Amino acid sequence: MTVAPLPYWRLSGFYLFYFALLGATAPFLALYFHHLGFSSARIGELVAIPMLMRCVAPNLWGWLGDYTGQRLLIVRLGALCTLLSFSLVFFSKSYAWLALVMALHAFFWHAVLPQFEVITFAHLREQPERYSQIRLWGSIGFILTVVILGRLFEWLRLDIYPVALIVVMAGIVLFSLWVPNAQPSQQGRKLIAGGFLKQLCTPGVLAFYACVALMQMSHGPYYTFLTLHLEDLGYSRGVIGLLWALGVVAEVLMFLAMRRILQRFSVRRVLMFSFLLAALRWLLLGCFAEYLWVLLLAQVLHAATFGSFHASAMTFVQRSFGPGQQGQGQALYATLAGIGGAVGALYAGYSWNTLGPTITFSMASVAALAAAVIIATRLQEDRA
């Protein structure tokens, strides 16, 4: 049987634009809401809404993808509806209307990535360790976006921000139409009786998902208030954009090394290492961000808090579920990440002005440390 060549650039291009959108929202969405005059509590709520949608949307779309097998169609429709629903932002800037736009576009946006991850691994087939070589283009998209927008917002007003998001969303739609379809292979995969719930209850899987939620919860202050925090400390928007980019450059380098790392170390050890460094990183950002060299070190640690964590987590999900449950496994990952991210954004929003950045980031550090303890005591993951 002839094996189809890997559509490397088509897959990579999709990741580039998908995570370019994250690069446009993570550093600048809170800044835009602040520009519109919202308080930190309202900003935290608006940022939390898309994350809360990850608690609902991925499971619905994941079940639909596994049931119908039409994952690429779901990706394409999700990308298009994300673009159309976000376009509603131009009609009003009230809190209620923006909350509706955040919820509606996120419902479709979160349909896209879990299904596309399944398609990517289906194309990779017997070489899943190459995932990081494709996914690194998402990181490159993130870097390009934060650097370009950081400079752009030094020259122009933030009122152009929604237009920039629309341009990136259009790129996601175009690349979704270019990617060829693929289905997970049954060959060489052990089917577990009882389906998805049976696989979910195998040793360590539930503990892994709990740690996913804790890790994303720990990122709450980072994704919601880092830009505002650094502005208050006197850093310019251009420098802030470069600092965000530095973190993702470190992430890219980690993705390039992950194939060899996962061949040498167990997923359990890589995850534990990632959680411990996350705990350190949040303490550095909360206590010493006024020192540039500490800030540079904290941003380099993004290689662990996202790069090694995400690549090893994707490997764990791919190993833990059969072909018919891959969509639901990826969707549950997105859901638990959404729950953790929403809780993180909410507690950061409510504590930022009352308790201050140091205590808020310290709470994030405790969450990451708890994940390290759970993974060390509950997960028994051997090297493949």
Side-chain angles (χ1 to χ4, degrees), residues 11-191:
L11 296 170
S12 300
F14 182 90
Y15 281 106
L16 186 145
F17 273 97
Y18 186 92
F19 286 96
L21 183 57
L22 184 60
T25 53
F28 302 114
L29 187 60
L31 189 65
Y32 177 66
F33 291 145
H34 184 264
H35 169 74
L36 295 179
F38 293 111
S39 67
S40 60
R42 300 290 83 79
I43 291 171
E45 290 165 1
L46 288 170
V47 172
I49 288 172
M51 299 180 184
L52 284 171
M53 271 297 159
R54 292 179 73 179
C55 308
V56 178
N59 286 306
L60 172 63
W61 297 112
W63 172 83
L64 190 62
D66 285 339
Y67 181 75
T68 64
Q70 298 295 319
R71 295 187 178 89
L72 186 57
L73 178 61
I74 291 172
V75 168
R76 289 169 174 170
L77 289 176
L80 179 60
C81 291
T82 299
L83 172 63
L84 295 176
S85 56
F86 186 81
S87 299
L88 297 173
V89 75
F90 295 107
F91 289 93
S92 174
K93 297 297 188 294
S94 70
Y95 174 81
W97 185 258
L98 288 175
L100 175 65
V101 172
M102 290 295 102
L104 190 59
H105 97 277
F107 179 76
F108 296 108
W109 189 31
H110 293 315
V112 172
L113 186 60
Q115 301 309 307
F116 196 81
E117 299 277 34
V118 177
I119 294 169
T120 298
F121 276 107
H123 279 294
L124 291 171
R125 295 189 181 276
E126 301 307 317
Q127 41 185 344
E129 67 278 0
R130 290 194 63 190
Y131 167 79
S132 58
Q133 298 173 357
I134 294 173
R135 173 58 182 81
L136 68 86
W137 285 97
S139 303
I140 292 172
F142 189 106
I143 293 168
L144 292 173
T145 307
V146 296
V147 171
I148 292 171
L149 291 185
R151 290 297 183 186
L152 190 64
F153 295 148
E154 285 190 338
W155 303 328
L156 302 174
R157 290 173 56 85
L158 277 165
D159 298 294
I160 67 163
Y161 178 67
V163 176
L165 295 187
I166 290 293
V167 171
V168 178
M169 289 176 183
I172 298 174
V173 173
L174 291 175
F175 266 92
S176 74
L177 298 174
W178 193 32
V179 170
N181 200 10
Q183 296 292 344
S185 173
Q186 302 281 346
Q187 183 179 359
R189 296 302 301 272
K190 180 175 67 174
L191 298 178

Side-chain angles (χ1 to χ4, degrees), residues 98-344:
L98 288 175
L100 175 65
V101 172
M102 290 295 102
L104 190 59
H105 97 277
F107 179 76
F108 296 108
W109 189 31
H110 293 315
V112 172
L113 186 60
Q115 301 309 307
F116 196 81
E117 299 277 34
V118 177
I119 294 169
T120 298
F121 276 107
H123 279 294
L124 291 171
R125 295 189 181 276
E126 301 307 317
Q127 41 185 344
E129 67 278 0
R130 290 194 63 190
Y131 167 79
S132 58
Q133 298 173 357
I134 294 173
R135 173 58 182 81
L136 68 86
W137 285 97
S139 303
I140 292 172
F142 189 106
I143 293 168
L144 292 173
T145 307
V146 296
V147 171
I148 292 171
L149 291 185
R151 290 297 183 186
L152 190 64
F153 295 148
E154 285 190 338
W155 303 328
L156 302 174
R157 290 173 56 85
L158 277 165
D159 298 294
I160 67 163
Y161 178 67
V163 176
L165 295 187
I166 290 293
V167 171
V168 178
M169 289 176 183
I172 298 174
V173 173
L174 291 175
F175 266 92
S176 74
L177 298 174
W178 193 32
V179 170
N181 200 10
Q183 296 292 344
S185 173
Q186 302 281 346
Q187 183 179 359
R189 296 302 301 272
K190 180 175 67 174
L191 298 178
I192 303 176
F196 177 72
L197 290 178
K198 179 69 174 180
Q199 296 178 70
L200 184 61
C201 293
T202 52
V205 175
L206 289 176
F208 162 78
Y209 280 113
C211 291
V212 168
L214 285 169
M215 185 62 147
Q216 293 306 314
M217 176 178 157
S218 80
H219 279 72
Y222 177 74
Y223 283 127
T224 309
F225 289 113
L226 179 65
T227 298
L228 292 173
H229 180 45
L230 297 182
E231 273 203 331
D232 289 342
L233 291 175
Y235 295 97
S236 70
R237 290 177 182 173
V239 170
I240 293 170
L242 291 173
L243 287 167
W244 278 91
L246 172 63
V248 188
V249 168
E251 170 191 315
V252 170
L253 296 177
M254 179 59 75
F255 277 136
L256 290 172
M258 279 307 296
R259 180 177 182 177
R260 291 189 294 273
I261 290 173
L262 288 174
Q263 287 173 342
R264 183 174 179 181
F265 299 102
S266 70
V267 167
R268 173 179 173 271
R269 293 181 67 180
V270 176
L271 287 172
M272 188 165 56
F273 177 78
S274 302
F275 296 143
L276 290 172
L277 287 181
L280 172 63
R281 186 187 187 198
W282 307 142
L283 287 178
L284 294 177
L285 287 176
C287 301
F288 306 108
E290 65 270 24
Y291 302 105
L292 181 59
W293 71 269
V294 174
L295 188 55
L296 293 172
L297 173 61
Q299 288 305 90
V300 169
L301 288 178
H302 195 72
T305 61
F306 184 81
S308 62
F309 165 72
H310 181 71
S312 55
M314 289 295 97
T315 301
F316 183 88
V317 172
Q318 194 267 341
R319 292 179 187 173
S320 299
F321 295 95
Q325 290 80 40
Q326 285 285 309
Q328 294 171 79
Q330 292 285 354
L332 186 60
Y333 175 86
T335 297
L336 269 297
I339 293 173
V343 172

